[in-house]
Amino acid sequence: LCRQNGEKALLELSSHPGYSISPMFDKMSGTFYFGYFLELGFGPKENAILATYDGTFITRVDDGGVLNIAHGDIKEGVDLTMKPGPRTPREQEEHKKLMNGSRCFIIN
C-alpha cells in the first residue's frame, strides 16, 4: 500500500499473518455528534479492506471512505474508524485539516 499510484491493496497485517484491518459492521452508522463512521478492528484476512493510498488518504475502494483516528486524538490505543471520504479537490484540502489531521497518513 505504500505506493502512491492508486494501486489497490488489501490491508493485511504482516505482523499477524492471517489477520487484517477489517470493518466491524457491514455499513457506516451515524450519530448526531460524530456524523457517519464505521468502526474498524482486527479480523480474518478474508475480511480485509481493499484500499488505495494517494500520499495522504488511505481510501476504501468500495465506497471512498477514508481511514480516520477517532476524535482526532492521535495517540496509542485510540480507535481506528472510517469516515466518508472527500469527493472534490476542495473537500480533500478541508479533510487534511479536520480533527488534527486524523485522516492523513504517512506510510514508511
Side-chain angles (χ1 to χ4, degrees):
L1 188 63
C2 63
R3 296 187 190 105
Q4 298 177 23
N5 61 5
E7 185 176 320
K8 299 173 188 175
L10 292 170
L11 299 184
E12 295 181 16
L13 302 175
S14 61
S15 61
H16 294 76
Y19 290 92
S20 68
I21 297 176
S22 303
M24 301 299 289
F25 301 97
D26 291 334
K27 60 182 180 175
M28 291 190 188
S29 60
T31 67
F32 177 76
Y33 187 75
F34 297 114
Y36 282 92
F37 66 96
L38 176 65
E39 292 181 76
L40 304 178
F42 292 124
K45 70 178 185 177
E46 294 79 22
N47 294 346
I49 292 173
L50 182 62
T52 62
Y53 179 61
D54 65 4
T56 302
F57 301 107
I58 299 174
T59 305
R60 185 162 71 167
V61 171
D62 293 345
D63 60 5
V66 294
L67 264 66
N68 175 67
I69 298 171
H71 316 295
D73 192 13
I74 301 173
K75 63 182 180 186
E76 186 175 332
V78 176
D79 293 340
L80 185 62
T81 65
M82 182 160 285
K83 297 286 283 182
R87 306 218 185 277
T88 66
R90 180 178 175 182
E91 285 183 4
Q92 285 180 342
E93 291 306 311
E94 290 173 4
H95 277 243
K96 289 178 185 177
K97 300 172 191 168
L98 288 173
M99 299 299 290
N100 202 21
S102 64
R103 298 177 190 175
C104 302
F105 290 84
I106 297 172
I107 298 175
N108 51 13

